[in-house]
């Protein structure tokens, strides 16, 4: 079964994993164990599994760390474990445990990957995670049905998600047939945060209401939107929207219908490196483009500022 599932992994993510050193996020849970075993079976090398002990679950977390160390020793792989007092850090920063733990994990993985020539991190998100992400973002109103991408570039790191085409059921069946074990995080079973409620309550209720497993449909919607957005970005990049100084040329932009104008502004903000560029921000920028607009400057996230001057829009930090 291992061979058949590796053939279903995302091809682009796997190709990169086979070409460069890869840091692997290893929690000890089912998904990360499967990810490590599959990358190892594919001959990806060197692999550097990294485990973050958040200091939240006491002896249970220590046992997770020991499990990961033993797994890596059996596979002949190096192993890095980092301990962080997440509860203390969360209280200090005024964030939730979930948010703090996620940011800590990402920072440690990024810092470890930065020690290699081609910083690359593999994460164990799969199709069910994708479905949960789509529902979460749709309900929050932040990104439509946009999901996670198999390969993304962010913060100087290439983030790989080879398991996105596989379901949780696929992964469970694989590990069971291989006789492999994993660790269950007890906090994942508690419906006290939005993502856990979506996993344990919303998706099962939606499956029951529709009489089918809706995860593949949600994943397909995410893929179709990603393909549409990619095509739109390519089309926008080919338009004469910039002057020789790299500023947005407003006479052309203002002639476009609002949907295309929004795509142009979003593309420009991303090109300038403005973080958190969502529809609300795009519409705020659009409001200062007309020459009759009452304001010609707008503060943007990341200490950026949008400035309209002489039929041009520039973004500076």
């Amino acid at each position: 079964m291992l061979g058949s599932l590796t053939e279903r992994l995302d091809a682009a993510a796997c190709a990169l994993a086979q070409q460069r050193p890869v840091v692997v996020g290893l929690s000890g849970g089912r998904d990360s164990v499967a990810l490590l075993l599959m990358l190892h079976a594919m001959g990806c090398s060197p692999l550097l599994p990294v485990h973050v002990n958040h200091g939240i679950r006491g002896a249970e977390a220590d046992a997770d760390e020991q499990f990961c160390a033993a797994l890596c020793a059996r596979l002949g792989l190096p192993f890095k474990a980092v301990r962080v007092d997440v509860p203390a850090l969360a209280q200090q920063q005024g964030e939730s445990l979930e948010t703090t733990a996620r940011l800590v994990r990402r920072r440690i993985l990024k810092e470890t990957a930065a020690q290699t020539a081609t910083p690359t991190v593999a994460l164990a998100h799969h199709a069910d995670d994708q479905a949960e992400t789509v529902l979460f973002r749709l309900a929050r109103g932040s990104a439509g049905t946009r999901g996670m991408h198999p390969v993304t570039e962010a913060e100087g790191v290439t983030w790989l998600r080879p398991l996105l085409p596989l379901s949780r059921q696929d992964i469970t069946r694989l590990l069971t047939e291989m006789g492999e074990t994993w660790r269950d995080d007890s906090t994942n079973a508690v419906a006290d945060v939005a993502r856990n409620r979506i996993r344990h309550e919303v998706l099962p209720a939606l499956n029951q209401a529709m009489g089918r497993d809706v995860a593949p449909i949600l994943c397909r919607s995410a893929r179709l939107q990603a393909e549409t957005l990619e095509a739109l970005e390519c089309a926008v990049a080919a338009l004469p929207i910039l002057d020789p100084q790299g500023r947005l040329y407003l006479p052309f932009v203002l002639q476009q219908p609002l949907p295309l104008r929004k795509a142009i502004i979003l593309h420009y903000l991303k090109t300038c490196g403005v973080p958190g560029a969502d529809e609300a921000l795009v519409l705020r920028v659009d409001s200062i483009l007309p020459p009759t607009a009452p304001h010609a400057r707008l503060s943007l996230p990341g200490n950026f500022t949008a400035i309209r001057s002489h039929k041009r829009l520039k973004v500076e930090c």
Side-chain angles (χ1 to χ4, degrees):
M1 183 178 183
L2 178 59
S4 62
L5 285 187
T6 55
E7 293 176 358
R8 288 172 51 194
L9 297 180
D10 182 80
C14 288
L16 289 174
Q18 292 173 312
Q19 297 168 6
R20 54 178 70 176
V22 178
V23 171
V24 183
L26 181 63
S27 68
R30 162 182 29 212
D31 310 331
S32 66
V33 168
L35 173 65
L36 182 63
L37 290 171
M38 295 179 85
L39 292 178
H40 184 259
M42 291 166 54
C44 299
S45 179
L47 295 174
L48 177 56
V50 175
H51 176 80
V52 180
N53 186 328
H54 302 109
I56 296 176
R57 293 175 292 117
E60 183 182 339
D62 294 340
D64 291 349
E65 181 179 330
Q66 294 166 9
F67 171 87
C68 292
L71 173 62
C72 292
R74 175 159 60 87
L75 297 176
L77 296 174
F79 176 66
K80 177 180 178 179
V82 180
R83 295 194 170 203
V84 181
D85 188 347
V86 168
L89 189 60
Q91 184 175 18
Q92 175 186 341
Q93 297 180 346
E95 296 278 6
S96 68
L97 282 177
E98 181 193 40
T99 298
T100 304
R102 176 174 54 81
L103 293 176
V104 163
R105 284 195 304 272
R106 190 173 180 91
R107 173 179 58 80
I108 291 172
L109 292 172
K110 181 178 66 173
E111 290 174 351
T112 305
Q115 298 171 13
T116 66
T118 53
T120 306
V121 175
L123 302 173
H125 297 120
H126 49 71
D128 294 80
D129 294 323
Q130 181 77 299
E132 293 163 15
T133 297
V134 170
L135 281 179
F136 181 76
R137 290 176 171 172
L138 186 62
R140 194 172 59 176
S142 60
T145 57
R146 182 171 61 84
M148 297 176 284
H149 292 275
V151 180
T152 55
E153 303 284 344
E155 303 169 274
V157 176
T158 302
W159 303 86
L160 307 179
R161 297 177 178 86
L163 302 187
L164 276 184
L166 304 184
S167 69
R168 184 177 289 114
Q169 186 178 32
D170 290 329
I171 293 169
T172 302
R173 188 164 63 249
L174 168 68
L175 293 180
T176 301
E177 292 187 5
M178 292 178 67
E180 296 286 350
T181 58
W182 62 86
R183 298 283 299 173
D184 285 319
D185 184 341
S186 59
T187 62
N188 288 336
V190 180
D192 62 346
V193 295
R195 280 191 174 274
N196 283 358
R197 287 195 294 271
I198 289 174
R199 175 177 303 172
H200 298 297
E201 298 173 4
V202 176
L203 266 175
L206 193 54
N207 291 338
Q208 184 176 12
M210 300 304 297
R212 63 167 72 178
D213 180 9
V214 301
I217 300 170
L218 293 170
C219 291
R220 184 163 63 248
S221 296
R223 177 177 54 79
L224 291 174
Q225 184 181 28
E227 292 173 353
T228 301
L229 290 176
E230 184 178 348
L232 182 58
E233 287 184 4
C234 289
V236 168
L239 294 175
I241 59 176
L242 301 180
D243 68 8
Q245 288 73 44
R247 298 171 299 182
L248 202 59
Y249 181 60
L250 298 184
F252 175 83
V253 175
L254 289 170
Q255 291 177 357
Q256 309 311 313
L258 180 59
L260 181 55
R261 199 162 70 241
K262 287 163 57 178
I264 291 172
I265 295 170
L266 179 60
H267 173 78
Y268 182 61
L269 294 178
K270 288 183 176 180
T271 301
C272 294
V274 178
D278 57 11
E279 183 181 30
L281 182 62
V282 166
L283 290 175
R284 288 172 57 209
V285 173
D286 183 66
S287 71
I288 72 168
L289 299 189
T292 56
H295 302 288
R297 299 174 66 95
L298 180 66
S299 295
L300 305 174
N303 294 320
F304 286 91
T305 302
I307 304 172
R308 171 176 52 81
S309 177
H310 305 296
K311 300 182 180 180
R312 305 289 191 276
L313 181 82
K314 66 177 179 179
V315 171
E316 60 182 31
C317 189

